[in-house]
Amino acid sequence: MVRFESVGLRYGRTGGRDPAPEVLRDISFELPEGTFCWLRGASGAGKTSLLRLMYLAVLPTSGKLTLLGADIGRTPRAGLPPLRRRIGVVFQDFRLMPHLSAFENVALPLRLAGGSDAQIRADVIELLRWVGLGRKLYTLPEELSGGEQQRVAIARAVIARPSLLLADEPTGNMDEAQAERLMVLLGELNRIGTTVVVASHNDALVERHPAAELRLDRGRMVREP
Amino acid sequence: MKVPSASARALRADELGLRRALPGRTLPLMVAAMALLAALSVAGWIGTSALARQWREGAGTAMTVQVPRPNEPSAKPDTTRLAAAVALLAGTRGVASVHVLTEAELTDLLRPWLGDSASQLALPMPAVVAVRLSGAAIDLAVLGHALDDAAAGTAVEDHGVWMRRLSALAFSLQACALLALALVGAVSIAVIAVATRAGLAARRDAIEIVHGLGATDGFIAGRFARRTMLLAAFGGFVGAFIAVPALLVLAQFAAPFAENASASPGHAALFAALPIPLWGSIAALPIVAAAIGFVTAQLTVRGWLRHLP
Ligand SMILES: Nc1ncnc2c1ncn2[C@@H]1O[C@H](COP(=O)(O)OP(=O)(O)OP(=O)(O)O)[C@@H](O)[C@H]1O
Ligand SMILES: [Mg+2]
């Protein structure tokens, strides 16, 4: 499902006399299909960067990355979008499309995958009801509370039933009850076979939900799942 | 709570919010101006082409022969110099008709220079022979020699020199029109590329989001291209719409130079006032503008997306 082999990552200049510093160094680990894994580490340790590699927002500067059976280093650029469509991501800052309603935001992955209008409508409305937004289908993100926006973001990440689900501090803006509710959702998805990776600072939450753990310290891996 | 599906579909078609990022006024306005300039350039090109053709054909169809002392006997017995020259001309291959100008016609020709007294002048007047040519090539040097043998001093005046100069002029005008057309095309491409880049900058976040969700370059470029295509087509249409009255007014000024200006009133005359290829070009303006908008946006967006992995 996910395999890192001595992966390194630099932002900016990757070569020459003065390359940018390596924010991730010599990362190696493997996540079998269906794993649930916490991603932990101090601020600046490289958690977000590691997730960015996993959702193909950046490509490794060195080493070999295998995602969903594809060797990313050998995959042509045109081969990446189909992989991205099988990966769901919840960003800490949501990244909703500001000019699209909750409904259209959640529908976006299905539109990109070319679903039929009727099927998209049914699926999106069902999921938005499930996350408690059945009455705010056509509300713009700016008119939603932080927690509501987050639920839209989560719905968008899971609507297309991704094989790999990545979440970056998903409980950041949540109270305890909401965080638990999210854990239930992530657990459900994991049970039906989705590989889930969650970066979190929330030690209490992690302790309540013991699972495999990947720990980073200043760009190096100090604990393998 | 239920939003009509038509508006939902309209929303879907604009996932990237391009209706706001590529607003529907500036770009069409610029393209309309370009389309108007393009129409004027094409009109200039078609007009000068027609003139060039007319002049080129004119150059090959007529010449004038002057026979001094026409009534004196020629080298041949029993013929005047004029008769000898006329006979020679009439027997030359490629000559369609030979007409000796009458006294009255000559006076008419000379009036602008000499006034009404032309006919009373005591000057020895040469006879002037207007020769129409049929199109077969004539070797003017050989003809000139033959005429000089028949009636010494006879001069052949070929209109070709002037016509060739006019043709060269028309050619350079044509080149100017083509150059203007090429410039208008280049500026249109630049205008659309700049607008597209502004749209990309305004929608950077949205593009990165859909890219991250797995949108292909083709999808994103296609959304931009569809929008710029519509805006450019609209601009081209407006430009073409304005070009018609502008060209009709210009055609009025140019009418005296036109070959067969029609005097018939009504719609038919309006239509006939401009050459058919020009009407065709005007009709093509929105299509060409749309094509430029589509291709330019596609290339600009695809180039920009290369920054993303
Ligand atoms: N786009 C970027 N360009 C350059 N450097 C970056 C970029 N993003 C992150 N970094 C650097 O990479 C290192 C790791 O950052 P990252 O965001 O991965 O940490 P993190 O573990 O997610 O931290 P936090 O818990 O605060 O979110 C940091 O030193 C950061 O400055
Ligand atoms: Mg982070």
Side-chain angles (χ1 to χ4, degrees):
Chain A
M1 171 59 41
V2 179
R3 188 161 73 236
F4 278 64
E5 290 166 72
S6 314
V7 169
L9 175 68
R10 295 175 201 274
Y11 288 109
R13 292 169 59 91
T14 56
R17 261 180 302 149
D18 182 27
E22 259 191 324
V23 295
L24 290 174
R25 251 168 306 160
D26 195 25
I27 305 282
S28 300
F29 67 92
E30 182 164 3
L31 297 179
E33 196 168 339
T35 314
F36 186 104
C37 179
W38 292 109
L39 177 57
R40 305 184 70 191
S43 181
K47 302 183 294 296
T48 298
S49 301
L50 190 69
L51 290 178
R52 281 163 65 80
L53 280 170
M54 282 197 258
Y55 59 76
L56 297 172
V58 287
L59 301 179
T61 319
S62 59
K64 181 175 169 189
L65 170 60
T66 312
L67 268 181
L68 304 164
D71 178 350
I72 298 307
R74 290 167 177 275
T75 306
R77 193 167 173 280
L80 298 180
L83 292 175
R84 290 192 183 103
R85 275 178 237 147
R86 295 172 58 196
I87 303 171
V89 190
V90 185
F91 303 94
Q92 189 169 2
D93 55 355
F94 318 141
R95 303 224 195 146
L96 298 176
M97 303 280 262
H99 52 279
L100 296 183
S101 67
F103 177 92
E104 284 301 329
N105 263 288
V106 176
L108 210 44
L110 299 179
R111 304 254 193 243
L112 293 175
S116 80
D117 267 1
Q119 191 57 51
I120 289 173
R121 251 190 105 66
D123 287 0
V124 171
I125 290 175
E126 186 192 334
L127 183 58
L128 279 173
R129 288 217 176 102
W130 197 82
V131 298
L133 289 172
R135 310 178 118 270
K136 304 217 165 165
L137 294 178
Y138 302 110
T139 310
L140 289 176
E142 61 184 9
E143 295 157 1
L144 293 171
S145 76
E148 288 169 337
Q149 289 182 37
Q150 189 152 36
R151 279 179 272 158
V152 175
I154 291 164
R156 186 182 65 188
V158 304
I159 184 80
R161 300 188 193 288
S163 310
L164 176 61
L165 179 63
L166 308 169
D168 198 356
E169 313 276 359
T171 59
N173 307 45
M174 290 181 172
D175 61 31
E176 210 160 291
Q178 285 173 327
E180 284 305 322
R181 199 173 152 77
L182 175 63
M183 288 313 298
V184 171
L185 170 63
L186 295 179
E188 282 298 321
L189 291 164
N190 183 233
R191 240 186 304 286
I192 61 170
T194 312
T195 307
V196 182
V197 181
V198 183
S200 184
H201 270 138
N202 190 334
D203 292 338
L205 188 75
V206 175
E207 266 148 41
R208 278 200 303 279
H209 300 273
E213 200 175 308
L214 216 157
R215 197 189 289 264
L216 290 173
D217 181 29
R218 279 165 286 173
R220 286 185 170 277
M221 225 177 57
V222 293
R223 179 165 167 181
E224 259 189 78
Chain B
M1 255 303 143
K2 209 172 151 108
V3 161
S5 69
S7 109
R9 210 165 293 129
L11 261 180
R12 162 167 65 121
D14 193 24
E15 294 93 347
L16 296 173
L18 296 183
R19 261 189 273 277
R20 300 240 322 259
L22 286 171
R25 255 186 313 224
T26 326
L27 187 58
L29 202 71
M30 305 278 266
V31 173
M34 292 300 142
L36 180 57
L37 285 176
L40 295 177
S41 305
V42 171
W45 187 57
I46 290 177
T48 46
S49 302
L51 275 185
R53 196 178 337 103
Q54 229 170 298
W55 286 339
R56 212 166 30 243
E57 282 165 5
T61 58
M63 63 182 195
T64 315
V65 176
Q66 288 180 35
V67 186
R69 292 168 285 116
N71 297 322
E72 289 179 19
S74 70
K76 277 192 192 164
D78 298 333
T79 38
T80 60
R81 287 160 53 84
L82 175 61
V86 168
L88 182 77
L89 283 167
T92 301
R93 232 178 73 80
V95 168
S97 72
V98 177
H99 170 64
V100 180
L101 269 61
T102 63
E103 194 107 342
E105 285 170 325
L106 261 182
T107 309
D108 273 352
L109 267 184
L110 292 176
R111 186 175 294 124
W113 283 275
L114 301 180
D116 282 331
S117 55
S119 55
Q120 291 135 39
L121 280 175
L123 285 170
M125 295 283 288
V128 176
V129 187
V131 180
R132 292 192 67 78
L133 306 176
S134 64
I138 281 190
D139 188 333
L140 286 172
V142 172
L143 182 63
H145 276 300
L147 280 169
D148 203 49
D149 286 348
T154 298
V156 177
E157 193 191 314
D158 171 20
H159 297 187
V161 181
W162 281 106
M163 291 303 177
R164 273 190 292 278
R165 283 181 192 166
L166 287 173
S167 287
L169 173 67
F171 178 77
S172 65
L173 287 174
Q174 260 173 291
C176 284
L178 269 188
L179 187 67
L181 198 60
L183 271 176
V184 164
V187 172
S188 307
I189 290 172
V191 162
I192 290 167
V194 166
T196 305
R197 290 197 155 270
L200 284 166
R203 284 294 177 264
R204 197 194 166 92
D205 291 344
I207 292 165
E208 283 181 359
I209 292 170
V210 293
H211 176 80
L213 291 174
T216 57
D217 291 1
F219 174 89
I220 297 170
R223 287 296 188 256
F224 271 87
R226 199 179 55 185
R227 178 80 181 147
T228 53
M229 184 177 74
L230 282 175
L231 295 180
F234 178 59
F237 183 79
V238 171
F241 194 77
I242 297 171
V244 171
L247 288 174
L248 285 174
V249 169
L250 286 178
Q252 288 298 306
F253 287 124
F257 301 101
E259 228 168 337
N260 39 16
S262 81
S264 60
H267 298 302
L270 268 189
F271 183 76
L274 300 178
I276 289 168
L278 186 53
W279 283 113
S281 308
I282 293 171
L285 280 175
I287 299 164
V288 172
I292 289 178
F294 183 87
V295 172
T296 304
Q298 280 276 351
L299 295 178
T300 307
V301 175
R302 282 173 189 269
W304 188 89
L305 285 172
R306 297 251 136 221
H307 298 306
L308 302 178

